[in-house]
Amino acid sequence: MKLLKGKNLLLLAIFLIAAAVRFYNFPNRVTFWSEQARSLVVSADYIHHKPSLLGQPYFIREDSNSHILYSGALFNYSLVPLLLVTNYDPVIITVFFTLLNILTGFVIYLVAKKSFNSSTAIISTSLFLFNDLMIYHSLFIWAYNVLPLVGILTLYFSWKYTHKNSEKDIFTIGLLSGIGISLQFLFAPIALLVFIVNFIKSKNKILATLLFGFGMILANLPMLIFDIRHNFYNLSTLFQYFLDTLGGESNASFSYYYLLPFWPLFAIILGYFVVKIIKWDRLVAAFVITIYIYLNLTSQRVSFIKPTGMPEGINTSDIDKASNIISRNVKGEFNVAEVLDFDKRAYVLRYFTEYKYGKKPLGETQYQNIKELYVLSQKGYNFDKSDVWEVYAGGKYNVSLLSDVGKGYAVYKLTK
């Protein structure tokens, strides 16, 4: 019973409330849209078609030679057992990422407690768990959602290595850095910085370099094998994209999610200063914490009734039902499309129709000379004047309403 007294009881309450914030009305709040569907499609293809040394393509990342960048395969292979265990249900798969986010909060607590004290650890954990971006990211499937955990573990093992110079720790740091790069290419500068810091602190610099490098290679082994067999395609494409970016010829831009590995560090730093405020004036500190939690829980990124990463008025259940109706209606070859945003090839419909309902659409570029096309759009969409290639490439269609979807949307059946 002593374990449930004082700060331990407070910590337990924090995690229970954080879990409640995430799991309340969970099925209706999960975001399952283009990025999530493409991730699961690639992973499901490993099962139903053939394994690959590559992960998913970066949807809008091409170099000036029209070569597409690919992520590492590690993330997509990690989804394979989740697909099999959950029977391809994206809502249940998302539970894993929600729990992963909560686990990251617990790791933050352990690291902050070891580095400072239990008060700093509790405050830092609270700031992380009740951050609007972390709540938002905990409700959908995405490779980048693993980066906060990678970041805090890299920080911990680097701190540990500078004190003990353990060979196991420097290998672990290299492995984590490789995982970070596999998840996000822009983790590479972080990995370089991590290596430099640990290299300076190492007593046996040659061994440290070899172990760090071995960990990096192991985490990216599938892509490395692919590159060796294909004239270093990924490396050359990434380098060309880098040159294009320097020359202003790429579509690269900065976004907050490139900083996700640092989110735990930010929480610990902020927690450290909040503890300083507590020592100065507890009332002021309580006010600051209350305002922080209120602003984050009422943020536009957090909703307790709907997903915040899908078109307004649609949730995952709506897409599932629409896909079911499409699958029961098809009579032969067909394809799917949507006109709501950039994802014209409707990966969400592709995923459900093929892997949940067993009806495989035609390929992602096969929109000419097809007899059946199912399109997710706003109700009343004018197909005759559509400027979407996936819609007009097949020529003139007869348009009929198949089913309403969500609020203000519908699936239309286009036939010849």
Side-chain angles (χ1 to χ4, degrees):
M1 292 298 294
K2 291 182 179 179
L3 292 176
L4 293 179
K5 290 184 178 180
K7 292 182 178 179
N8 288 325
L9 185 60
L10 175 61
L11 183 65
L12 177 62
I14 289 169
F15 277 101
L16 289 175
I17 296 171
V21 166
R22 286 159 172 78
F23 284 110
Y24 174 79
N25 197 24
F26 188 78
N28 292 320
R29 295 169 60 204
V30 165
T31 292
F32 186 70
W33 201 239
S34 175
E35 182 67 38
Q36 294 70 47
R38 288 190 302 114
S39 294
L40 295 189
V41 164
V42 170
S43 300
D45 283 346
Y46 294 164
I47 303 170
H48 291 265
H49 301 292
K50 64 178 182 179
S52 172
L53 295 171
L54 294 176
Q56 65 195 70
Y58 282 84
F59 196 54
I60 55 173
R61 297 287 185 256
E62 292 184 0
D63 68 9
S64 54
N65 298 317
S66 298
H67 292 162
I68 299 174
L69 287 169
Y70 286 83
S71 66
L74 185 63
F75 174 72
N76 290 102
Y77 275 107
S78 72
L79 293 176
V80 168
L82 294 175
L83 285 168
L84 296 174
V85 169
T86 64
N87 197 27
Y88 298 84
D89 189 329
V91 174
I92 301 177
I93 294 173
T94 305
V95 171
F96 171 81
F97 289 86
T98 309
L99 294 175
L100 187 71
N101 185 260
I102 296 173
L103 173 64
T104 303
F106 183 67
V107 175
I108 290 172
Y109 170 79
L110 296 177
V111 172
K113 184 178 180 181
K114 194 173 186 68
S115 303
F116 298 100
N117 52 58
S118 59
S119 296
T120 302
I122 290 174
I123 296 297
S124 300
T125 301
S126 301
L127 295 176
F128 177 85
L129 290 176
F130 294 104
N131 178 262
D132 62 338
L133 279 168
M134 290 302 99
I135 297 170
Y136 168 66
H137 278 268
S138 69
L139 292 171
F140 58 83
I141 302 162
W142 198 25
Y144 286 16
N145 289 346
V146 185
L147 288 171
L149 181 58
V150 172
I152 188 62
L153 289 175
T154 301
L155 178 67
Y156 169 70
F157 282 104
S158 294
W159 174 86
K160 189 179 176 185
Y161 181 71
T162 59
H163 287 78
K164 295 184 178 181
N165 255 230
S166 166
E167 295 172 359
K168 183 171 64 175
D169 288 339
I170 191 64
F171 168 75
T172 302
I173 295 166
L175 187 66
L176 287 167
S177 296
I179 292 172
I181 292 173
S182 179
L183 297 171
Q184 178 198 71
F185 281 130
L186 282 179
F187 196 89
I190 301 173
L192 178 60
L193 178 61
V194 168
F195 169 72
I196 291 172
V197 171
N198 286 283
F199 179 82
I200 292 172
K201 295 289 185 178
S202 64
K203 295 177 181 178
N204 189 334
K205 300 189 185 306
I206 295 177
L207 181 60
T209 301
L210 291 174
L211 289 172
F212 183 90
F214 180 62
M216 288 267 291
I217 290 171
L218 190 61
N220 289 281
L221 191 58
M223 182 172 286
L224 180 61
I225 294 173
F226 179 90
D227 265 22
I228 291 173
R229 293 173 58 184
H230 296 86
N231 197 28
F232 293 95
Y233 170 85
N234 286 292
L235 185 61
S236 60
T237 301
L238 184 60
F239 182 67
Q240 183 59 53
Y241 189 80
F242 173 70
L243 295 178
D244 294 343
T245 301
L246 292 179
E249 298 178 13
S250 77
N251 57 356
S253 60
F254 179 80
S255 183
Y256 76 88
Y257 47 73
Y258 297 135
L259 299 177
L260 285 176
F262 296 103
W263 233 250
L265 177 60
F266 295 158
I268 292 174
I269 293 173
L270 190 57
Y272 173 80
F273 284 108
V274 169
V275 169
K276 292 290 186 182
I277 297 175
I278 291 174
K279 292 179 179 179
W280 171 63
D281 192 314
R282 289 191 176 186
L283 186 61
V284 172
F287 177 77
V288 169
I289 294 171
T290 301
I291 292 298
Y292 174 90
I293 293 176
Y294 173 79
L295 291 176
N296 279 273
L297 292 183
T298 57
S299 164
Q300 292 182 345
R301 297 188 183 97
V302 178
S303 171
F304 292 94
I305 59 174
K306 62 183 181 180
T308 54
M310 297 176 70
E312 182 71 26
I314 296 180
N315 61 27
T316 307
S317 177
D318 294 326
I319 300 298
D320 189 350
K321 291 176 183 176
S323 301
N324 186 19
I325 292 171
I326 293 171
S327 301
R328 288 190 281 108
N329 188 266
V330 296
K331 296 180 176 60
E333 290 186 340
F334 74 103
N335 216 333
V336 292
E338 62 107 330
V339 297
L340 304 183
D341 60 8
F342 66 91
D343 183 19
K344 308 305 182 188
R345 294 166 187 180
Y347 283 91
V348 287
L349 295 178
R350 288 181 180 278
Y351 176 76
F352 277 119
T353 55
E354 180 173 0
Y355 295 111
K356 186 169 183 179
Y357 298 111
K359 297 295 181 67
K360 180 177 174 57
L362 292 170
E364 298 168 10
T365 60
Q366 292 180 268
Y367 285 92
Q368 297 169 307
N369 302 317
I370 56 176
K371 294 183 178 180
E372 288 187 4
L373 177 64
Y374 297 87
V375 184
L376 175 64
S377 71
Q378 299 88 348
K379 290 197 70 173
Y381 182 80
N382 190 335
F383 288 94
D384 291 332
K385 295 184 178 180
S386 176
D387 60 353
V388 176
W389 179 82
E390 286 79 2
V391 172
Y392 70 73
K396 185 71 174 178
Y397 287 105
N398 296 315
V399 180
S400 61
L401 175 65
L402 182 64
S403 174
D404 288 345
V405 177
K407 298 178 181 178
Y409 304 96
V411 171
Y412 289 89
K413 181 178 181 180
L414 281 59
T415 57
K416 290 184 178 179

